[in-house]
Amino acid sequence: MERLKSEVPSTLIRKISSATTEQDLLSTSSALLDFFLSHPLFNTVARELADPELALCGKNRASALDLKRKGNESFSHGHFDKALNLYSQALRVAPMDDRDLVATLYLNRASSLFKMGLFTECRRDCDRAVVLSPSYAKAWYRRAKVNASLKSHNEAINDMNVALNLEPSIGLKRQIKEELVLIVNSRQSCNSLRKACHKSVGIHVESPKIKLQCVSTPDKGRGMVSISDISDGSLIHSEEPYVVILSKHYRETHCHFCMNELPVDSVPCSSCSVPLYCSQWCLERAGGVGAKNLLSDYPFHEMLPTDLQRYISSVILAPDSRPGAANPDSGGIAEHKHECGGVNWFAVLPSEIILAARMIVKSIEQRKRSEGTTESAKTLELVHNFGKLPIESKLDFHIYSIVLTHCLQQSYGAEFPLTGASVSQLVIAMSQVKLNAMAIVHMKSTDAFWSMEQLGNLLRNKNTLTNNVEQVRLGQAIYSTGSLFNHSCRPNVHTYFLSRTLFVRSTEFVQAGFPLELSYGPQVGQWSRDERQQLLQDQYSFKCNCSGCAQLNVSDIVISSFSCLEPNCFGIVLDDSILKLEKLNFDCVQQVPTIFSLKSLVPVDKPERGDIEKVARCVLKHHDVSCTMVPGYCLNCGSHCDVKSLRLASSKAIHHMERALIGMLDDTTSTEVRTNLLSDALSALDILRSILHAYNKEIAQAEDNLAKALCLIGDFQSALHYCEASIGILEKLYHPKHIVIGNELVKLASIQLCTSDHISALNTIDRLNVIFQLYYGSHAMRIFPYLDSLKKDAAKLALENCAL
Ligand SMILES: C[S@@+](CC[C@H](N)C(=O)[O-])C[C@H]1O[C@@H](n2cnc3c(N)ncnc32)[C@H](O)[C@@H]1O
């Protein structure tokens, strides 16, 4: 890519950099395409990426056989997990048309899974083997064994009978007969036990009942509103993606279709060696050929008794069982099909570029489908920022589009010709992806605040570990309606994902017709306003005009401000960067009490210093007196503070604290040194408290870090104090029912459990439950299964404490 870029003549670069309209784009796309088509380097690159002859990601029988041999060796030495891995690798490269080889690999993997006690996974692999090769006696035998282990005795008996009929060897037939008798006997002893255990568990599927409307807004383009009032915590929208892509980082661990974590018996793409799926179901929806689609008539059927023939058919035609719970639909258009066949471009180009290609492919496919029908193809009208892109991105998008047009042309020929128009269409699609793609984030609960290794022996011996919530950014997707929600730094709706399905839920009461806005990332309380505005400008090319930015809010004033150093004055000293921005908005200041309930902001631990109401009153009082607005002057007493040296002193204190905490966590640190380091960290915290405003985010961060370190060295009682203090500040910066507070309360509850205080833990769990219900409704437990374990731990502790 860089080499191609360096070849572009400067005149063309200038032309591309000044292109702003779609007409300019058409002309620059055609000019660059003409230049590249006659350039030898481009032709070499294009061939390497798109020529199936040079494909590195295709199937390879020789490698599959080699991996199988190594897998067999590991299996025979009893290294079953290694064998499992090798068989999985072999399956990835084994050509699908060599059905016997693929069936053997599935069966060998099933045997490893069986040895590892992973019976459900083993059965799925046996199913895959018998579907590919229904006359495979060994596969039916293994299926019988695993069904017996899963206590599915009737199926096990049928499987054994099929194996018995298909097995040619007399010796093995005898062995099968003996095992059959054993299964029949154990069925009899199990039958009475099983009767009582059958209970079906219904899965509650929540669906949105709110009617939304897309409206035009004066300053943000289109936006979403509801036509009726919405109460807080309502599910207002759910949607499958228009197109989606898993990020490269998760290719080996997550399903390329539904994005759930891969089980150990993952299924590889049928045509190339890149994607892995959690099931045949996902494979087929992404465009692969499922084994069942290759089924043909089997003459051996006729040699078997009729009941066994029927049984075989029922097994091999049964719908594939899916490990994931959700059943997302791809709209019937295969996402990966056109990229398959082992060509390199899909594996090499960046994910967002592939996502743009998927958007174009989907529109081609939809157009094709609607031809000859009365249905018109749905068009996706997304905003883009091509004209505002920095020159680097404009040039990159041009080059990627030319490369991609060349690749897509291999699959779509005349439907996607190699012309300037196709190239400019792709450039627009890439800029649409940049503005409209949503990151698919799944939640993961992690042990403790840092990794287990860092926990050391101290915590390893504890029953209850502190819990944390980690967000995993799995990929990106375009949602037709989801992309119409505008951003607010004070959002009134919250988005989350189950598999690849988007859910949008209101987090407060919203009146009919009032804008429904989510956060594209930054939020009030998380960053100062200039940081938020900068990020939105850099990533999405717009100046944020949300209520959180357009009106003064107290959180933005205090988040990075200092404290007046004059004795007995607890005024606030604003940082110059805040002041610059706040000045622009002082006109709105009169509205403060209605936008932001100051009364709810009770100070943390030093009432006088942290009195936010006082702070806001100062701002209100002085908002038309320009001399008090000069940075570095206390808003209360007007005395001067050297903000530059205060900033330097706080950076130094933060640095000292971090060094001390790292030292404390070092396994080799002696108890004495650890005590000294803790006292260093506490001194650094005191310095921060004396120079920063009580609600400055740095203090919350420092208290949180201290709490983590104290947890790691097992001092849960002290950790509790700092964790609570940190949450106290965050509650002022966000609001007490914000999801950030929910996540912090998870930590707090875990620490309270570690101190055996079940009453406080139960109270905290109640509080966090309210927040998780608001943000995730009936999905809360599914997304955060550890909430349940937290509750169980608390209940267990309560029982233990009562028994004492
Ligand atoms: C994903 S789109 C949202 C829908 C868009 N308004 C439309 O008309 O299609 C993102 C674009 O909407 C506009 N937008 C969204 N939130 C905004 C905000 N808070 N302030 C200003 N513009 C905003 C910006 O132009 C941004 O690039």
Side-chain angles (χ1 to χ4, degrees):
M1 208 41 209
E2 288 308 311
R3 277 182 60 207
L4 278 181
K5 216 154 125 183
S6 65
E7 297 292 317
V8 182
S10 51
T11 45
L12 210 44
I13 297 185
R14 273 199 297 278
K15 210 171 152 197
I16 291 171
S17 68
S18 58
T20 50
T21 65
E22 294 198 16
Q23 199 52 43
D24 296 341
L25 174 61
L26 185 59
S27 142
T28 51
S29 300
S30 306
L32 192 62
L33 177 65
D34 289 344
F35 169 76
F36 273 142
L37 283 180
S38 57
H39 199 293
L41 178 64
F42 173 76
N43 288 306
T44 314
V45 171
R47 214 180 139 236
E48 278 167 8
L49 287 174
D51 190 341
E53 300 259 303
L54 302 176
L56 295 173
C57 313
K59 301 287 187 184
N60 184 329
R61 189 170 189 277
S63 295
L65 287 173
D66 188 43
L67 287 160
K68 179 183 162 227
R69 184 186 50 76
K70 289 183 181 149
N72 292 349
E73 256 171 46
S74 296
F75 189 89
S76 61
H77 286 107
H79 303 145
F80 304 120
D81 51 349
K82 201 168 163 199
L84 169 78
N85 202 357
L86 286 159
Y87 293 136
S88 293
Q89 286 179 44
L91 278 164
R92 217 159 169 182
V93 291
M96 195 62 184
D97 51 10
D98 193 340
R99 299 175 52 165
D100 287 343
L101 171 62
V102 179
T104 311
L105 288 170
Y106 274 127
L107 183 62
N108 289 4
R109 192 170 72 171
S111 303
S112 307
L113 290 164
F114 190 84
K115 291 281 188 190
M116 293 163 77
L118 298 169
F119 299 138
T120 311
E121 292 81 354
C122 169
R123 205 188 102 144
R124 287 198 293 254
D125 265 357
C126 289
D127 287 350
R128 290 165 190 142
V130 298
V131 166
L132 282 160
S133 179
S135 58
Y136 196 178
K138 269 193 190 162
W140 289 105
Y141 169 77
R142 172 63 54 215
R143 194 173 189 274
K145 296 282 285 179
V146 76
N147 268 328
S149 302
L150 288 166
K151 309 259 179 284
S152 298
H153 292 105
N154 289 341
E155 280 208 66
I157 290 166
N158 281 330
D159 292 337
M160 261 321 170
N161 273 321
V162 178
L164 189 62
N165 277 276
L166 293 174
E167 180 54 58
S169 139
I170 308 285
L172 288 177
K173 264 189 193 296
R174 195 175 313 122
Q175 188 191 331
I176 292 173
K177 265 187 198 154
E178 284 164 16
E179 300 219 24
L180 187 54
V181 174
L182 290 178
I183 296 175
V184 172
N185 289 344
S186 59
R187 172 175 67 175
Q188 274 153 7
S189 58
C190 264
N191 265 354
S192 51
L193 273 178
R194 289 191 61 202
K195 270 178 202 147
C197 314
H198 259 294
K199 215 179 189 182
S200 70
V201 183
I203 297 173
H204 171 62
V205 182
E206 198 183 353
S207 53
K209 302 203 168 51
I210 311 283
K211 233 183 163 154
L212 300 184
Q213 204 178 14
C214 176
V215 295
S216 181
T217 70
D219 47 2
K220 299 176 196 157
R222 294 167 300 169
M224 297 303 289
V225 297
S226 155
I227 58 172
S228 54
D229 289 355
I230 306 176
S231 55
D232 58 355
S234 308
L235 180 63
I236 61 164
H237 182 64
S238 71
E239 188 182 2
E240 291 308 317
Y242 182 79
V243 280
V244 65
I245 188 135
L246 182 70
S247 103
K248 282 187 184 171
H249 189 69
Y250 294 101
R251 270 190 182 168
E252 305 299 309
T253 53
H254 287 71
C255 174
H256 280 234
F257 183 77
C258 73
M259 301 213 163
N260 289 336
E261 254 177 80
L262 285 171
V264 282
D265 61 318
S266 62
V267 181
C269 175
S270 49
S271 316
C272 74
S273 62
V274 184
L276 292 171
Y277 300 96
C278 66
S279 61
Q280 291 280 134
W281 193 95
C282 283
L283 162 83
E284 286 173 32
R285 259 135 211 92
V289 181
K292 289 191 179 87
N293 299 343
L294 301 173
L295 278 177
S296 51
D297 286 337
Y298 286 90
F300 77 91
H301 260 113
E302 288 150 22
M303 298 150 50
L304 301 177
T306 329
D307 57 336
L308 283 188
Q309 284 184 35
R310 272 207 296 274
Y311 178 69
I312 292 175
S313 301
S314 74
V315 170
I316 62 182
L317 296 175
D320 194 57
S321 60
R322 302 189 61 240
N327 269 3
D329 178 20
S330 62
I333 289 178
E335 275 168 2
H336 170 63
K337 200 169 174 183
H338 65 283
E339 305 152 348
C340 235
V343 283
N344 300 331
W345 66 268
F346 162 67
V348 171
L349 297 179
S351 306
E352 52 276 21
I353 303 297
I354 311 280
L355 191 62
R358 287 184 172 187
M359 261 170 68
I360 297 291
V361 165
K362 186 144 178 173
S363 66
I364 296 176
E365 296 279 351
Q366 280 181 332
R367 211 173 43 231
K368 269 205 286 195
R369 276 190 181 189
S370 63
E371 273 165 18
T373 68
T374 49
E375 231 179 86
S376 60
K378 256 206 254 165
T379 48
L380 191 65
E381 285 169 19
L382 299 175
V383 284
H384 68 83
N385 63 344
F386 168 72
K388 292 187 194 160
L389 284 175
I391 165 66
E392 274 299 292
S393 309
K394 278 187 184 168
L395 185 56
D396 284 353
F397 283 5
H398 271 74
I399 299 175
Y400 276 129
S401 295
I402 293 174
V403 169
L404 211 48
T405 308
H406 175 86
C407 299
L408 288 177
Q409 211 237 347
Q410 310 278 314
S411 327
Y412 287 93
E415 283 170 86
F416 202 71
L418 195 50
T419 61
S422 305
V423 173
S424 66
Q425 198 186 343
L426 263 169
V427 173
I428 295 293
M430 285 172 197
S431 3
Q432 286 174 326
V433 163
K434 193 162 163 46
L435 279 199
N436 296 278
M438 292 175 110
I440 298 198
V441 174
H442 282 192
M443 299 297 172
K444 197 171 156 196
S445 142
T446 52
D447 287 329
F449 299 102
W450 282 300
S451 67
M452 269 306 283
E453 290 84 64
Q454 286 169 302
L455 265 175
N457 293 331
L458 262 169
L459 272 185
R460 236 171 248 135
N461 298 333
K462 286 270 167 194
N463 294 332
T464 316
L465 294 174
T466 50
N467 256 303
N468 205 355
V469 183
E470 190 193 321
Q471 296 196 337
V472 189
R473 219 183 129 112
L474 290 173
Q476 284 179 286
I478 297 282
Y479 293 88
S480 320
T481 303
S483 300
L484 294 172
F485 283 88
N486 286 321
H487 161 85
S488 173
C489 296
R490 268 195 186 290
N492 52 13
V493 300
H494 172 67
T495 54
Y496 59 93
F497 303 84
L498 284 176
S499 291
R500 42 192 256 160
T501 314
L502 165 72
F503 290 90
V504 186
R505 202 174 272 281
S506 57
T507 50
E508 58 190 64
F509 168 80
V510 187
Q511 257 180 0
F514 195 80
L516 293 164
E517 292 175 337
L518 50 89
S519 166
Y520 292 0
Q523 296 199 31
V524 170
Q526 181 186 17
W527 286 322
S528 67
R529 183 166 40 184
D530 56 338
E531 286 167 332
R532 300 196 305 266
Q533 296 245 339
Q534 193 63 52
L535 186 133
L536 293 165
Q537 187 66 53
D538 293 348
Q539 279 191 8
Y540 300 98
S541 325
F542 70 85
K543 180 174 182 319
C544 183
N545 212 354
C546 75
S547 60
C549 289
Q551 297 163 337
L552 180 70
N553 70 68
V554 181
S555 178
D556 281 351
I557 300 179
V558 295
I559 195 166
S560 50
S561 57
F562 300 93
S563 213
C564 178
L565 297 181
E566 283 298 309
N568 302 324
C569 177
F570 297 107
I572 184 167
V573 181
L574 300 187
D575 191 15
D576 43 5
S577 62
I578 313 174
L579 201 57
K580 206 168 57 206
L581 281 159
E582 296 306 336
K583 263 184 154 179
L584 302 175
N585 294 280
F586 283 154
D587 288 347
C588 316
V589 98
Q590 301 298 348
Q591 299 169 34
V592 168
T594 53
I595 311 159
F596 202 81
S597 170
L598 297 172
K599 290 223 156 38
S600 67
L601 293 164
V602 183
V604 194
D605 55 353
K606 287 189 177 167
E608 320 90 295
R609 168 157 295 171
D611 192 336
I612 272 215
E613 200 166 343
K614 240 189 225 167
V615 169
R617 287 227 183 90
C618 281
V619 181
L620 288 170
K621 200 166 76 191
H622 295 293
H623 82 276
D624 51 350
V625 186
S626 57
C627 68
T628 57
M629 292 298 147
V630 179
Y633 286 86
C634 170
L635 291 183
N636 188 35
C637 70
S639 61
H640 180 254
C641 294
D642 182 358
V643 167
K644 210 168 152 195
S645 48
L646 287 181
R647 208 181 289 131
L648 204 70
S650 72
S651 313
K652 249 177 153 172
I654 291 166
H655 180 69
H656 277 144
M657 183 164 203
E658 279 169 2
R659 254 202 356 221
L661 296 184
I662 291 170
M664 273 167 72
L665 298 173
D666 189 334
D667 277 348
T668 57
T669 304
S670 66
T671 315
E672 195 191 338
V673 174
R674 195 168 271 159
T675 313
N676 290 340
L677 288 169
L678 176 59
S679 118
D680 284 354
L682 292 174
S683 310
L685 180 61
D686 276 346
I687 295 175
L688 286 179
R689 280 178 172 162
S690 66
I691 55 181
L692 300 180
H693 185 268
Y695 295 148
N696 187 308
K697 188 114 188 237
E698 296 288 4
I699 300 189
Q701 192 60 56
E703 312 232 36
D704 186 48
N705 285 342
L706 197 53
K708 289 170 187 172
L710 288 163
C711 273
L712 291 171
I713 60 166
D715 184 354
F716 295 112
Q717 206 58 54
S718 311
L720 197 59
H721 168 73
Y722 293 106
C723 184
E724 280 170 338
S726 164
I727 294 175
I729 298 174
L730 295 178
E731 281 181 336
K732 310 299 177 224
L733 294 176
Y734 293 87
H735 57 82
K737 282 196 185 166
H738 195 282
I739 188 61
V740 163
I741 307 301
N743 293 337
E744 295 301 309
L745 290 175
V746 174
K747 284 186 209 169
L748 183 64
S750 314
I751 302 175
Q752 286 164 333
L753 287 178
C754 290
T755 61
S756 301
D757 180 358
H758 74 272
I759 296 178
S760 304
L762 285 169
N763 277 337
T764 307
I765 292 170
D766 281 347
R767 278 171 68 199
L768 69 90
N769 241 343
V770 171
I771 300 177
F772 278 84
Q773 280 298 319
L774 183 65
Y775 279 76
Y776 298 98
S778 62
H779 297 135
M781 284 298 176
R782 203 152 124 201
I783 294 178
F784 301 98
Y786 64 87
L787 280 186
D788 203 33
S789 30
L790 212 53
K791 278 183 193 167
K792 283 188 184 135
D793 282 350
K796 202 168 129 212
L797 184 64
L799 276 178
E800 281 168 14
N801 285 353
C802 285
L804 289 176

